[in-house]
């Protein structure tokens, strides 16, 4: 239904910050809740954050709470993930997804290709 493209990943030192963007194509972006997930080599895909259709509700996994902020701009068909105080444990490929407001990956119908985030110690 929608096509998603993540940008903003890169290499950053521990304690630094990155801002990821997820640009959506299509005409019905505001009909979808959005989520961010991440996957490190050899590990399962992990829920990171989600945001409701209007942006009024957000939820974070405990390991990023207080450090990461998810937001969206429906007029620009874009979702963001501001990541502060980054740790090497945050190193992963980060994916955005569109679907229902859920921490369950199966609730999301569309996925981006991912953007690599590498945090050095």
């Amino acid at each position: 239904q929608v096509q998603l493209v993540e940008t903003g990943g890169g290499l950053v030192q521990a304690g630094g910050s990155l801002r990821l963007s997820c640009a959506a194509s299509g005409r019905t972006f505001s009909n979808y809740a959005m989520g961010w997930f991440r996957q490190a080599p050899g590990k399962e895909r992990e829920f990171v954050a989600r945001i409701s259709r209007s942006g009024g509700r957000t939820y974070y996994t405990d390991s990023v709470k207080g450090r990461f902020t998810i937001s969206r701009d429906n007029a620009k068909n874009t979702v963001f993930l501001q990541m502060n105080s980054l740790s090497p444990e945050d190193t992963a490929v980060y994916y955005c997804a569109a679907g229902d407001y859920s921490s369950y990956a199966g609730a999301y119908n569309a996925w981006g290709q991912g953007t690599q985030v590498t945090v050095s110690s």
Side-chain angles (χ1 to χ4, degrees):
Q1 298 183 44
V2 298
Q3 189 169 5
L4 308 174
V5 179
E6 303 96 336
T7 58
L11 176 64
V12 65
Q13 289 185 306
S17 298
L18 285 173
R19 189 193 193 204
L20 306 184
S21 298
C22 175
S25 64
R27 300 171 57 86
T28 58
F29 176 74
S30 63
N31 290 343
Y32 302 97
M34 299 292 297
W36 285 97
F37 293 76
R38 64 188 181 186
Q39 188 165 22
K43 295 186 177 180
E44 294 293 317
R45 184 166 46 192
E46 176 190 21
F47 167 79
V48 176
R50 66 180 191 247
I51 188 167
S52 60
R53 289 172 293 175
S54 67
R57 293 185 295 172
T58 59
Y59 185 79
Y60 303 88
T61 193
D62 285 345
S63 63
V64 309
K65 191 173 298 182
R67 300 188 298 120
F68 290 12
T69 302
I70 188 171
S71 61
R72 70 190 296 164
D73 186 341
N74 287 350
K76 296 181 178 179
N77 284 8
T78 305
V79 175
F80 306 95
L81 186 68
Q82 178 67 47
M83 305 186 294
N84 299 326
S85 301
L86 284 164
S87 162
E89 286 69 42
D90 298 313
T91 295
V93 177
Y94 282 71
Y95 300 91
C96 66
D100 290 335
Y101 187 68
S102 175
S103 299
Y104 171 53
Y108 295 86
N109 299 318
W111 294 81
Q113 293 297 305
T115 186
Q116 176 71 49
V117 172
T118 303
V119 185
S120 63
S121 60

